[in-house]
Amino acid sequence: MSESIAIQYFSDLALPAAVLRAVEMVGYETPTPIQSQTIPPLLEGRDLLGHAPTGTGKTAAFALPILARMDLSAKGVQVLVLAPTRELAIQVAEAFAKYATHMKNLRVLPVYGGQDYTGQIRQLNRGVNIVVGTPGRIMDHMRRGTLKLDKLQTLVLDEADAVSYT
């Protein structure tokens, strides 16, 4: 990022009120460096590669602007987050759900192996906005035709340096 904007508080970011309420509810006060550097360009819809140590708030750095840009009136999966492990997929899905607490009708679904397909398929058929999953299970659903990505707006490769997604 070439421009250095002094962002001291989450309220300095152009996040919608519902997202800011959730941020306050979780107890976040000031954005970490990765958050203050990534949220503004992501809010503009720009592509971004972020790298920061564990525990610096990378999930919030991508999740908050994604939620800010969501069109809750649109049907279909708008966001796909690929995570290398089921544990990370669950953790990221829970974070999205927590940050979206005050957003009506937003549905997040974690999709990973070792879990029965029936529940995942039922929820996909009901409609979800955000899918967070492991590459193998995502591919399985795509092959089965149970995960349609024709409305996809955003793709996140979480921990992309940790594993090959091919």
Side-chain angles (χ1 to χ4, degrees), residues 8 11 24 48 50 55 59 62-63 83 86 91 96 103 106 129 134 141 146 150 160 164-165:
Q8 294 185 326
S11 57
E24 289 172 14
L48 190 113
T59 302
F62 67 77
R86 85 177 71 177
Q91 179 184 331
F96 264 104
M103 297 175 74
L106 185 113
N129 309 93
T134 54
H141 277 291
T146 52
D150 56 322
S164 170
Y165 284 97

Side-chain angles (χ1 to χ4, degrees), residues 56-79:
T56 56
K58 290 185 297 292
T59 302
F62 67 77
L64 298 176
I66 286 172
L67 290 170
R69 293 177 51 86
M70 297 283 308
D71 178 0
L72 296 179
S73 65
K75 302 289 183 207
V77 176
Q78 295 176 51
V79 178

Side-chain angles (χ1 to χ4, degrees), residues 1 26 28 37 44 49 66 70 79-80 92 98 102 105 126-127 129 135 138-139 147-149 152 156 159 165:
M1 311 309 119
V26 240
Y28 296 168
Q37 291 173 358
E44 294 171 5
L49 173 64
I66 286 172
M70 297 283 308
V79 178
L80 175 63
V92 170
K98 187 173 21 172
H102 302 290
N105 302 321
R126 254 191 243 141
N129 309 93
I138 294 292
M139 293 299 295
L147 175 60
K148 295 179 180 31
L149 299 175
L152 193 68
V156 176
E159 301 288 341
Y165 284 97

Side-chain angles (χ1 to χ4, degrees), residues 56-163:
T56 56
K58 290 185 297 292
T59 302
F62 67 77
L64 298 176
I66 286 172
L67 290 170
R69 293 177 51 86
M70 297 283 308
D71 178 0
L72 296 179
S73 65
K75 302 289 183 207
V77 176
Q78 295 176 51
V79 178
L80 175 63
V81 180
L82 290 176
T85 66
R86 85 177 71 177
E87 293 78 17
L88 186 59
I90 293 166
Q91 179 184 331
V92 170
E94 288 172 350
F96 264 104
K98 187 173 21 172
Y99 303 144
T101 298
H102 302 290
M103 297 175 74
K104 290 189 184 290
N105 302 321
L106 185 113
R107 292 197 175 125
V108 181
L109 176 64
V111 172
Y112 50 86
Q115 184 185 45
D116 184 46
Y117 277 101
T118 311
Q120 292 176 357
I121 292 170
R122 186 171 46 253
Q123 289 184 60
L124 286 167
N125 287 339
R126 254 191 243 141
V128 298
N129 309 93
I130 301 170
V131 173
V132 183
T134 54
R137 186 54 68 102
I138 294 292
M139 293 299 295
D140 285 347
H141 277 291
M142 289 171 62
R143 279 188 214 103
R144 291 171 180 246
T146 52
L147 175 60
K148 295 179 180 31
L149 299 175
D150 56 322
K151 307 292 185 206
L152 193 68
Q153 298 292 317
T154 304
L155 172 65
V156 176
L157 302 178
D158 199 2
E159 301 288 341
D161 58 338
V163 71

